[in-house]
Amino acid sequence: MKITLKIWRQSNSSEKGNFQTYSLEDISPDSSFLEVLDLLNVRLEEEGKDPIHFDHDCREGICGTCSLYINGRPHGPSQTTTCQLHMRSFKDGELLWVEPWRAKPFPVIKDLVVDRNSLDRIIQAGGYVSVRTGGVPDANSLPVGQDLAEESMDAASCIGCGACVASCKNASAMLFVAAKVSHLALLPQGKVERQSRVQEMIAQMDKEGFGSCTNTAACEAECPKNISVSHIARLNREFFLAKILPETK
C-alpha cells in the first residue's frame, strides 16, 4: 500500500502547530496504524529529523493511551483503539489527516501527545472504595446478582482513552465519569462513598473545564469499549439522589 499522511506537528503547548506531509510506500495492509508511525519515525531519525511524538503503551487495545483523530474521527474509521486499527481499513493511496485530541482539558504537549491528567484527577476525586485490608473474603460473602455484576463490569471496561470527549461537540466527559460512577454504584463495595463519590467527581469534571452532555450519543458511537449512554442516565440519577437524600455513613 501507499499512503500520504498529513500529521499535526507542534513543538510544545505554547507554540503554534501545523500539518506536515509524509508519504509512505510498501505498507502492509496487516500493519497497525501505530506500526506505520513507527516506520515513519525510523525514516525521520535516519534523516536526522525530529520523530513524531505520539502516545502508546500496551498496543493491545486495553490501556487507552493511543489517542488520535484520523480523518476527523477518534481512533479512525473503526470503533476500536488506534493500536488495533489496521491499514486494510484504508484504501491504497488514501490521504489521511492525523491530529491530537481537540479539547481544552486535553492541552497538547507535543505533536500528537496530549495531557489527559484531567481524567486522572476526576478518578482521584472519588473513584475509589473504602475496604478493610486483610485476608481475601469468601467469594459468596457479598452476594451480587448476575445482571448487576455484568452491568458493572461492562462499565468498568472503560479504558479512559478520552474518545468520548474527543467525539463530543461540547467536549463532555460524562460517559467517562458515568462509567466510573456506575461500576462502583452497582456493587455493594461501592455503597459507602455512593453519595460523596458522584458529587465530588462531577465537581472535579466541571473544574477541569469539560462541557455538558446534550445527548447526541456521539460518545457511545466512538467508544472502543461500547459503553452505553444509559450509564449517563444512572449518573444523573445518582447525582440527583445524592443532593436530596441525607448522607449515609
Side-chain angles (χ1 to χ4, degrees), residues 150-158 178-180 182-183 186 227 231:
E150 289 183 352
E151 190 173 3
S152 175
M153 293 303 102
D154 287 344
S157 67
C158 170
K180 300 306 179 182
S182 194
H183 93 263
L186 287 165
I227 294 175
H231 292 293

Side-chain angles (χ1 to χ4, degrees), residues 53-68:
H53 291 67
F54 62 95
D55 281 324
H56 63 94
D57 190 7
C58 73
R59 300 202 178 198
E60 295 179 352
I62 57 176
C63 72
T65 59
C66 53
S67 54
L68 296 176

